[in-house]
Amino acid sequence: MTEHKLIAPHDKRRIYDRQNGLCAYCEQRRNIKYMTVDHIIPLSKGGSNEETNLQCTCKMCNYFKGNSLPLEFSERIHTIFINNLQFCEMELSAKQ
């Protein structure tokens, strides 16, 4: 397995600029100091430290993504959204 390496500030800036300051997942614009560099394919799943496998994500998205693949993360977020939506619908029904 490839080991994590520290990302030089100028490399983080280049990745950040490539994404126009937007989180790769939620697409919210964040200051670079609130962004992390994430492995698209996690090292634990065969990913590399090559710049083509790196992206900037906000800290919250990176936290929830963990070491999952992008599709796994997308499915996890979708499930959370649907569960919250169903909960809100039940709350609204209970109030009527």
Side-chain angles (χ1 to χ4, degrees), residues 50-91:
E50 297 295 318
E51 193 168 315
T52 55
N53 189 46
L54 300 176
Q55 62 188 355
C56 278
T57 61
C58 69
K59 292 178 181 182
M60 188 64 72
C61 283
N62 197 6
Y63 173 79
F64 282 109
K65 179 180 178 273
N67 75 333
S68 60
L69 295 168
L71 182 58
E72 294 168 336
F73 174 66
S74 178
E75 290 170 350
R76 181 181 306 147
I77 293 300
H78 182 262
T79 299
I80 291 169
F81 176 77
I82 294 300
N83 287 342
N84 282 333
L85 186 60
Q86 290 171 345
F87 177 77
C88 289
E89 288 174 347
M90 289 187 322
E91 289 287 308

Side-chain angles (χ1 to χ4, degrees), residues 2-87:
T2 306
E3 291 187 30
H4 278 273
K5 70 172 191 166
L6 290 178
I7 305 299
H10 65 274
D11 292 332
K12 181 178 180 180
R13 169 58 71 179
R14 188 170 46 253
I15 296 165
Y16 177 85
D17 289 344
R18 178 181 75 201
Q19 295 174 210
N20 298 312
L22 301 176
C23 171
Y25 290 109
C26 69
E27 298 183 347
Q28 294 297 305
R29 188 170 307 281
R30 300 278 187 250
N31 185 293
I32 192 169
K33 68 182 178 181
Y34 299 113
M35 296 285 253
T36 60
V37 177
D38 172 59
H39 291 87
I40 299 167
I41 308 295
L43 296 177
S44 64
K45 296 190 177 179
S48 71
N49 285 312
E50 297 295 318
E51 193 168 315
T52 55
N53 189 46
L54 300 176
Q55 62 188 355
C56 278
T57 61
C58 69
K59 292 178 181 182
M60 188 64 72
C61 283
N62 197 6
Y63 173 79
F64 282 109
K65 179 180 178 273
N67 75 333
S68 60
L69 295 168
L71 182 58
E72 294 168 336
F73 174 66
S74 178
E75 290 170 350
R76 181 181 306 147
I77 293 300
H78 182 262
T79 299
I80 291 169
F81 176 77
I82 294 300
N83 287 342
N84 282 333
L85 186 60
Q86 290 171 345
F87 177 77

